[in-house]
Amino acid sequence: MVLLNGYYDRFKTIQAAEEDYKNRHPSSESQSYESGKPRAAGLPLRRGVKNSELVELKLRLETAFDRLVRRCVEEQMISPAAAQTMLREFHRSTDP
């Protein structure tokens, strides 16, 4: 969940680093890591994941975790009290 919650901050860091590099090296061309081909000058770095996709991924992760914990209780691998604690901590950690 930390990876999903931190996506935007990591993107902004990469974007700032690219801008800093372009400012310090005005004659160099920025390479696209995906294709290895130069990007056209002046094109901004774009996010690879939309906010709606991040929301969907978080929901899917939360649902899967809830099901896993419920199954562990059913199989008597953990106590209901332990499950409640785990779920409470997990959902607290998913708040942005």
Side-chain angles (χ1 to χ4, degrees), residues 1 6 9 26-27 36-37 39 41-42 45 50 52 63 65-68 73-74 77-78 83 85 87:
M1 194 58 72
D9 290 336
S27 62
K37 298 176 184 174
R39 282 192 309 193
L45 181 66
K50 297 176 185 175
S52 59
T63 301
F65 186 76
D66 290 349
R67 288 176 43 210
L68 173 65
V73 170
E74 289 171 3
M77 297 171 71
I78 61 174
T85 300
L87 290 169

Side-chain angles (χ1 to χ4, degrees), residues 1-5 57-69 82-96:
M1 194 58 72
V2 172
L3 291 175
L4 295 176
N5 286 339
L57 288 171
K58 286 180 186 182
L59 180 60
R60 289 176 58 196
L61 180 59
E62 289 173 350
T63 301
F65 186 76
D66 290 349
R67 288 176 43 210
L68 173 65
V69 171
Q84 289 296 325
T85 300
M86 291 170 68
L87 290 169
R88 186 173 41 254
E89 290 300 317
F90 177 78
H91 287 289
R92 185 178 303 147
S93 73
T94 63
D95 293 336

